[in-house]
Amino acid sequence: MIYVPSASEAWSSLQALNHDVTLGWFIRALHGWGSNFMVAIVLIHMVQVFLFGAYKFPRSLPGSRRFSFADDTWHGLQWTSAAFDQDAYWGLGIGASIASRVPIVGP
């Protein structure tokens, strides 16, 4: 495995992935941009569903589909932490702040 998810080894393993692995930088960038686009597409879709009233009977989504969207968004947020940089620090701080305001989940 190339990437080592520890605070002491993360930077050097990311440097190896970016510079030593063939197209490693491209795969990393593709994964990062893909998660950002996924979050944007889910948000756009949620606005569309709200504006068109597609959440009303008989078109209501099953709970498993709603969970799937939330799960994809959560995994997009988790990808941010893989970089161990300032974007990861502030992104996770904002994500934790948002999650703390959710009833039952937050404090």
Side-chain angles (χ1 to χ4, degrees), residues 11-95:
W11 180 254
S12 60
S13 66
L14 284 178
Q15 289 302 313
L17 181 62
N18 283 336
H19 301 292
D20 299 337
V21 176
T22 304
L23 293 178
W25 62 271
F26 180 73
I27 298 298
R28 252 190 101 222
L30 189 67
H31 197 205
W33 280 103
S35 66
N36 289 337
F37 281 126
M38 180 66 199
V39 170
I41 288 170
V42 166
L43 291 175
I44 290 168
H45 173 70
M46 289 170 60
V47 169
Q48 177 194 11
V49 166
F50 177 75
L51 292 177
F52 291 152
Y55 57 91
K56 297 176 183 173
F57 182 81
R59 300 176 115 195
S60 62
L61 287 173
S64 61
R65 292 277 311 270
R66 281 189 227 120
F67 175 75
S68 175
F69 289 141
D71 190 49
D72 290 342
T73 306
W74 172 250
H75 285 300
L77 181 62
Q78 283 183 329
W79 169 250
T80 306
S81 66
F84 275 78
D85 60 0
Q86 285 295 314
D87 286 339
Y89 176 79
W90 292 107
L92 290 174
I94 291 169

Side-chain angles (χ1 to χ4, degrees), residues 3-14:
Y3 178 69
V4 180
S6 72
S8 62
E9 296 291 323
W11 180 254
S12 60
S13 66
L14 284 178

